[in-house]
Amino acid sequence: MNKQEWLNLALAKLHPGQWFGWRKEDDNGNKIPNNERMTYENIIVHDSTLTKPTEDEVNAKIQELKDKQTAFENKQSSGKQKLKDLGLDDDEIQALMGA
Amino acid sequence: MAFIGKQPGKAAITSTDITDGIITAAKLASDSVTTAKIADNGVTTAKINADAVTDAKIADDVVGSEHLTAGEVDTTALGADAVTAAKIADNAISEEHLDATVVTGLTALAAEPADTDEFLISDAGTLKRIDYSYIKGGGITMADQWRFTANTDNSSGSLGFDITSNLEQVDTAPQGTIGSAMSESSGIFTFPTTGFYFVKFNIQWQMNGDGDVRQGGGEMNWTTNNSSYSTIVDAYNGCNNHGLNYYSGAEMNAIVDITDTANQKVKFRAYNSASNATCMGSSSANHTYMTFIRLGDT
């Protein structure tokens, strides 16, 4: 995933529901190019009960997700290895794990 | 002349005294033969020099059509604008006599014709006129597309959510739309005009590795009274949830007959069987999006 995709996902994981969106126009009313909208600066908070998270909070969530993904992939690898050690071949492991 | 005896009296020479055929042209004075000396019908074609009869020698309105050889009247003999409509036989103007400027020389309409604007048509060989209202609708006059712009997770314990915000008409080059746009308010879409529409909903989910997602999909919910909604189309997909790089998508569509734009509307619902998936949205690419194409009149 690229930087924008990580940001988009991290915000979704901070709170459930449609609590945030993206600015499409800058302060002067000019259209923000599509590839520049999904940035921290252009976050809009729709839910009045919430406040915009700090950039540090967002970055921490991004790192949490990346760590979770890394840990998941590590568990996948170690799990596969343990299955191999038990004598399963790759096809059997894939049949069990789906990956 | 000398003579003997009494001199004879003078007597006039009569025509009998002149031998036939002895008066030569030289014995006639110039311009001495008057019209009265020419017998009726006495002047034959052979007595007229080539090109000798000038325009001034032809009385007004005396040249009848029987004096014109077939094919002899050419365009130089016709004055500008001399051929009136009455001089053209019925059904005589065929395509070879029409120039492209019959069309290109006219003022362009530069807009969709009105329903009562008319076209020329050959109806099994008979020329007729036809109103635009009978022939319009052959092409797509309206195509619109919207998308969900921000990732969203379910509220804990819920099985999906109505998409009520973060919707935009697609605007990433070269994306585009045709004709009148859908209008949207709090996720409820209103059609610009009545007619048959093809409506398609694509939805995409991203997993987070917390467990398999048995159902990730969406629903189209329609109202016919601008109040109560029911699902007439849905689609789901399952996915083994092995991390953030696992995705599930679903696509659904419907053909609807919109006869009342004030009461017949649609909204979209993102549905999944667990709260561990994210409905994907983006303001730069289509992940979860709605397509509306007008097919024709109701």
Side-chain angles (χ1 to χ4, degrees):
Chain A
M1 294 197 294
N2 63 31
K3 185 177 179 181
Q4 290 183 336
E5 290 168 336
W6 279 112
L7 172 62
N8 201 3
L9 183 62
L11 292 171
K13 296 299 181 187
L14 279 175
H15 303 288
Q18 299 161 78
W19 68 273
F20 79 96
W22 309 105
R23 283 200 313 165
K24 292 183 68 175
E25 294 180 349
D26 63 20
D27 293 338
N28 297 319
N30 300 315
K31 183 178 175 181
I32 300 171
N34 300 89
N35 59 357
E36 297 174 12
R37 285 179 199 162
M38 293 192 291
T39 62
Y40 178 81
E41 292 73 21
N42 291 324
I43 294 172
I44 300 171
V45 177
H46 296 312
D47 188 337
S48 60
T49 66
L50 300 173
T51 57
K52 182 177 178 179
T54 66
E55 197 161 7
D56 285 344
E57 289 172 329
V58 173
N59 288 335
K61 191 66 177 178
I62 291 172
Q63 192 57 52
E64 176 190 323
L65 291 169
K66 288 181 176 177
D67 291 346
K68 182 178 179 181
Q69 177 66 10
T70 301
F72 188 90
E73 290 169 353
N74 289 340
K75 285 182 180 178
Q76 273 189 325
S77 297
S78 62
K80 283 182 182 176
Q81 188 56 52
K82 288 176 181 176
L83 290 172
K84 279 189 176 180
D85 293 343
L86 290 172
L88 278 68
D89 62 27
D90 287 340
D91 290 341
E92 291 169 326
I93 293 170
Q94 184 167 1
L96 285 173
M97 299 179 65
Chain B
M1 174 195 284
F3 55 86
I4 299 171
K6 187 179 178 180
Q7 181 178 356
K10 295 182 178 178
I13 297 173
T14 67
S15 60
T16 58
D17 297 322
I18 302 171
T19 303
D20 289 347
I22 66 167
I23 298 176
T24 64
K27 296 303 182 183
L28 297 175
S30 297
D31 301 325
S32 61
V33 178
T34 64
T35 306
K37 297 303 181 186
I38 301 172
D40 290 346
N41 304 317
V43 179
T44 63
T45 304
K47 300 302 182 186
I48 301 173
N49 279 336
D51 300 326
V53 179
T54 64
D55 193 48
K57 298 303 181 185
I58 300 173
D60 292 345
D61 303 323
V62 297
V63 179
S65 58
E66 72 270 20
H67 295 296
L68 299 175
T69 303
E72 277 296 293
V73 178
D74 60 20
T75 54
T76 58
L78 296 174
D81 300 325
V83 179
T84 65
K87 300 302 181 185
I88 301 173
D90 292 347
N91 306 318
I93 298 180
S94 59
E95 77 289 347
E96 64 184 304
H97 296 296
L98 296 177
D99 183 77
T101 54
V102 168
V103 176
T104 61
L106 300 179
T107 301
L109 178 58
E112 183 181 6
D115 280 353
T116 53
D117 284 354
E118 295 166 322
F119 292 78
L120 194 63
I121 189 172
S122 173
D123 178 20
T126 301
L127 287 178
K128 293 181 180 178
R129 60 186 170 82
I130 185 170
D131 279 358
Y132 175 64
S133 60
Y134 289 103
I135 59 175
K136 71 177 182 179
I140 293 174
T141 58
M142 181 273 188
D144 197 10
Q145 195 168 65
W146 291 64
R147 65 185 168 208
F148 191 42
T149 60
N151 281 356
T152 301
D153 271 26
N154 281 352
S155 296
S156 179
S158 68
L159 296 176
F161 57 91
D162 285 342
I163 297 176
T164 58
S165 63
N166 292 333
L167 289 163
E168 69 176 11
Q169 195 176 34
V170 295
D171 62 352
T172 305
Q175 289 179 317
T177 61
I178 299 171
S180 301
M182 298 292 291
S183 56
E184 181 271 333
S185 177
S186 298
I188 296 172
F189 285 86
T190 302
F191 294 84
T193 60
T194 59
F196 274 90
Y197 286 84
F198 175 77
V199 181
K200 187 162 76 77
F201 180 34
N202 289 69
I203 189 165
Q204 187 163 308
W205 293 92
Q206 181 175 7
M207 313 309 166
N208 65 7
D210 286 342
D212 289 348
V213 174
R214 288 185 295 115
Q215 297 166 339
E219 301 169 347
M220 282 190 200
N221 293 318
W222 293 82
T223 179
T224 57
N225 60 8
N226 195 27
S227 177
S228 57
Y229 284 80
S230 60
T231 301
I232 65 169
V233 188
D234 55 31
Y236 308 102
N237 222 330
C239 184
N240 291 327
N241 194 352
H242 292 287
L244 293 175
N245 292 324
Y246 282 73
Y247 301 88
S248 173
E251 175 180 309
M252 64 218 78
N253 60 66
I255 295 175
V256 291
D257 182 11
I258 301 299
T259 58
D260 179 357
T261 59
N263 287 300
Q264 294 173 311
K265 302 182 180 187
V266 62
K267 64 181 180 181
F268 300 90
R269 182 172 178 81
Y271 181 94
N272 71 352
S273 60
S275 58
N276 55 7
T278 301
C279 179
M280 296 182 68
S282 169
S283 190
S284 62
N286 292 7
H287 295 317
T288 297
Y289 56 100
M290 306 83 179
T291 305
F292 307 87
I293 300 173
R294 189 176 186 277
L295 302 175
D297 292 339
T298 182

